[in-house]
Amino acid sequence: AKLEKITLIPLNASEVTKDGVIIAPVGVKTRLTAMGIFSDHTTINFDPSKVIWKSEDEQIATVSNQGEITPKKRGKVNITVTKDGISETSKLEVTYAKIEKIIIEDDGGIETPAGREVKIPVSGIFTDGRKANMLLAQITVYPIYMGLVRYDYDVPIFTPSPFTTGKAIITARLAGMGDSLIATSTVTITPEVLERIVITPKKASVPLNGTIQLTAAGVFSDLADVPRYITNVAWDTTRYDIIALDNKGNVTPLKEGSADVIATKDSIQATATITVKPNK
């Protein structure tokens, strides 16, 4: 039997129009198979390496000897196959690259103390391999009692509950894409941590024959900006020649001048300034 016609069949095209035009974003490969129709009405799928493939413009798209098309840039191009003098052409339209998946940039999991907010950066990977950072995404957290999500210039920020520790699942959905592009990650909420120390008073003047008691309060991640009493504070000063300082924060002047007092706990420090003046 004699070969009379070849039919091209797209195997994994993302879209084919009613007119048979293959639509492919930049970077999304499409494979064609060539089916021969013979004079006795039999058909056969040719070994792709036994036919001749050609792209009329390889700047727009290339085609391998296996019939695999690689879209390069936006445009329209014809892909032709030839066997025994018989040819057939498929029309290909290459569109802009699209985001094919999203990821939460968390290096395998987010960890944050109770109450301390953390950004949830969502990135997208395009079909051509490019990466888009800080995408606008809708974030949900389960269990929902683990915390809240707010948005700051379209960047989602997760604030863990100040009263809960454990693991929660974060799900990101690309805005406007429904459930077609989803990424998930785990956030681990650890116990509260000391964020900063507040020394009272911050600045003080004391006469040479006087004393002053300094106190230190801690601001923790679970109750931001609400100082509370803390223990086991280490007290130090930059000028032991000007003031004497005990382990309770009690200051005794030694001579006129200024000295900084440093309170330290859990590697967090705060400083107050004491000025010793002449006796009244």
Side-chain angles (χ1 to χ4, degrees):
K2 182 181 179 181
L3 178 63
E4 292 187 337
K5 184 180 179 182
I6 298 176
T7 298
L8 285 174
I9 303 170
L11 296 182
N12 58 342
S14 57
E15 181 184 353
V16 180
T17 69
K18 294 180 179 179
D19 298 329
V21 179
I22 300 169
I23 308 296
V26 173
V28 177
K29 295 182 178 181
T30 298
R31 186 177 294 277
L32 295 177
T33 184
M35 184 179 70
I37 302 174
F38 292 82
S39 57
D40 61 356
H41 305 295
T42 59
T43 61
I44 186 173
N45 288 331
F46 292 122
D47 181 336
S49 65
K50 303 300 183 182
V51 297
I52 300 173
W53 300 93
K54 183 179 180 181
S55 167
E56 70 172 4
D57 190 339
E58 293 193 344
Q59 290 187 344
I60 296 177
T62 60
V63 59
S64 72
N65 61 3
Q66 296 295 315
E68 185 176 70
I69 301 171
T70 302
K72 296 290 188 179
K73 71 174 185 178
R74 189 168 178 265
K76 297 179 180 180
V77 64
N78 290 328
I79 305 296
T80 302
V81 64
T82 302
K83 171 76 171 174
D84 298 339
I86 304 297
S87 297
E88 179 62 16
T89 297
S90 280
K91 296 182 181 298
L92 174 73
E93 181 176 348
V94 180
T95 60
Y96 290 115
K98 297 180 180 180
I99 295 176
E100 62 179 348
K101 71 175 181 178
I102 61 174
I103 56 175
I104 297 175
E105 301 281 6
D106 57 9
D107 294 329
I110 298 169
E111 183 173 298
T112 187
R116 180 191 289 174
E117 64 181 26
V118 60
K119 291 182 178 180
I120 310 295
V122 179
S123 299
I125 307 299
F126 283 85
T127 52
D128 61 359
R130 290 182 296 116
K131 183 178 179 181
N133 297 319
M134 306 304 289
L135 295 180
L136 174 60
Q138 301 298 322
I139 303 292
T140 56
V141 181
Y142 181 82
I144 57 175
Y145 62 78
M146 286 295 215
L148 301 172
V149 176
R150 66 180 178 87
Y151 292 84
D152 185 7
Y153 295 101
D154 295 336
V155 177
I157 296 176
F158 173 61
T159 303
S161 166
F163 312 109
T164 306
T165 59
K167 293 183 181 294
I169 301 299
I170 292 179
T171 301
R173 289 175 172 82
L174 191 61
M177 297 298 290
D179 288 340
S180 61
L181 289 175
I182 296 178
T184 60
S185 184
T186 300
V187 58
T188 301
I189 304 172
T190 58
E192 65 174 15
V193 295
L194 180 65
E195 299 276 13
R196 60 188 178 90
I197 296 172
V198 178
I199 299 177
T200 304
K202 177 70 173 177
K203 293 182 179 181
S205 296
V206 60
L208 189 59
N209 61 352
T211 62
I212 187 170
Q213 176 66 54
L214 300 179
T215 61
V219 176
F220 290 80
S221 59
D222 62 345
L223 292 171
D225 295 326
V226 181
R228 67 176 189 253
Y229 176 73
I230 55 176
T231 59
N232 300 322
V233 177
W235 294 93
D236 198 3
T237 180
T238 57
R239 296 294 301 273
Y240 275 103
D241 60 326
I242 293 178
I243 62 172
L245 180 67
D246 66 15
N247 60 3
K248 302 294 185 180
N250 185 54
V251 177
T252 301
L254 300 177
K255 69 177 183 179
E256 296 178 26
S258 292
D260 288 338
V261 175
I262 303 166
T264 304
K265 181 180 175 64
D266 298 340
S267 300
I268 305 297
Q269 291 187 334
T271 302
T273 300
I274 304 298
T275 300
V276 180
K277 293 186 177 181
N279 295 328
K280 294 183 179 180

